[in-house]
Amino acid sequence: MKSILLIGLGRFGKHIALNLNQMGHQVMAVDYDEEKVNEVLPFVTSAQIGDSTNADFLESLGIRNYDVCIVAIGNDFQSSLETTSLLKEMGAKMVISRASRDVQEKFLLRNGADKVVYPEKQMAKWTALRCSASNILDFVELDNEHAMLEVPVPHDWIGKSIGQIDVRKKYNVNIIGLKKNGKLLFSITADQMLDAGDSLFALGKDKDLQKCFRL
């Protein structure tokens, strides 16, 4: 369980609050809009109404006490940038900020963000992949070059072991997990057999994953 400060409670921020609550984390939610704060009260540990660009207000939240600070402000980049910078200046351990354009991502990284999430860009890439490759069950972009995919076991791999397909050597792709009969297996060995109906969790560079699974 982590202690998380979530700033910005629009649609994106609200979904983050819901998911963090389901995972059992302690969440302090902040927004200048009282209505948005009231909407997330059932899903967070505590909440405050305030302006995150105000240094005194931010300081009062005890920034150093949080494991992660998330800046989910989406409609006011100036406020997002100022908030990100202030958080880092106040000693935040980890700052994750939202961007909606490439240039915003660069500015946020230069001004205190440890990581930047780009939901519109990731969703666009995921949608394009689903349209062009119907065999992809799930997709997580890790950075500009790397991703994790969940894919059904290819037909010609059925009845073989992880060691026999040897995709690490052939494609530089790592099989990090397996879903078998609805159960997730992450402690897998080279002897693990692949059956029809299984799905694989594969990690690697985008270009290597595309070659490996013929996307």
Side-chain angles (χ1 to χ4, degrees), residues 122-140:
Q122 184 168 359
M123 182 55 67
K125 189 170 185 178
W126 171 223
T127 303
L129 277 170
R130 286 299 298 269
C131 291
S132 60
S134 58
N135 59 323
I136 296 179
L137 302 175
D138 203 357
F139 165 81
V140 178

Side-chain angles (χ1 to χ4, degrees), residues 10-212:
R11 286 177 295 179
F12 181 61
K14 184 177 180 180
H15 281 294
I16 293 176
L18 288 167
N19 282 277
L20 289 174
N21 175 65
Q22 291 172 358
M23 295 175 184
H25 297 298
Q26 292 184 333
V27 180
M28 161 65 84
V30 173
D31 199 286
Y32 65 84
D33 187 323
E34 182 178 0
E35 184 177 345
K36 291 179 179 178
V37 171
N38 289 334
E39 286 179 359
V40 301
L41 279 175
F43 315 111
V44 297
T45 310
S46 55
Q48 286 201 33
I49 303 166
D51 179 4
S52 62
T53 65
N54 184 297
D56 291 334
F57 171 72
L58 272 189
E59 191 70 50
S60 71
L61 298 175
I63 300 304
R64 295 176 183 83
N65 297 325
Y66 297 99
D67 297 305
V68 182
C69 296
I70 301 174
V71 182
I73 301 170
N75 59 354
D76 185 345
F77 180 65
Q78 183 65 34
S79 293
S80 177
L81 191 63
E82 289 181 25
T83 300
T84 297
S85 181
L86 283 171
L87 287 170
K88 208 60 182 179
E89 288 175 8
M90 293 177 182
K93 299 173 186 176
M94 168 69 71
V95 180
I96 302 175
S97 300
R98 175 187 179 178
S100 57
R101 293 189 296 169
D102 290 337
V103 67
Q104 292 181 0
E105 180 178 7
K106 293 177 182 178
F107 275 110
L108 287 167
L109 289 170
R110 290 173 183 170
N111 287 273
D114 296 291
K115 294 183 179 179
V116 173
V117 293
Y118 199 156
E120 291 87 355
K121 185 177 182 179
Q122 184 168 359
M123 182 55 67
K125 189 170 185 178
W126 171 223
T127 303
L129 277 170
R130 286 299 298 269
C131 291
S132 60
S134 58
N135 59 323
I136 296 179
L137 302 175
D138 203 357
F139 165 81
V140 178
E141 184 179 45
L142 303 178
D143 60 25
N144 290 332
E145 292 185 344
H146 299 81
M148 184 185 75
L149 299 178
E150 181 187 358
V151 294
V153 172
H155 181 74
D156 53 350
W157 294 5
I158 294 172
K160 297 181 180 179
S161 68
I162 295 290
Q164 285 176 308
I165 61 174
D166 199 14
V167 292
R168 180 181 295 178
K169 182 178 180 180
K170 294 176 182 176
Y171 300 102
N172 199 30
V173 166
N174 292 297
I175 304 300
I176 60 173
L178 178 69
K179 185 183 288 183
K180 185 179 288 288
N181 299 321
K183 295 183 179 180
L184 293 175
L185 306 174
F186 288 104
S187 298
I188 55 176
T189 66
D191 298 325
Q192 176 67 58
M193 299 301 295
L194 302 175
D195 300 314
D198 293 349
S199 62
L200 295 168
F201 293 89
L203 177 68
K205 288 187 175 182
D206 292 343
K207 62 179 182 180
D208 295 331
L209 291 166
Q210 290 170 10
K211 289 179 182 178
C212 182

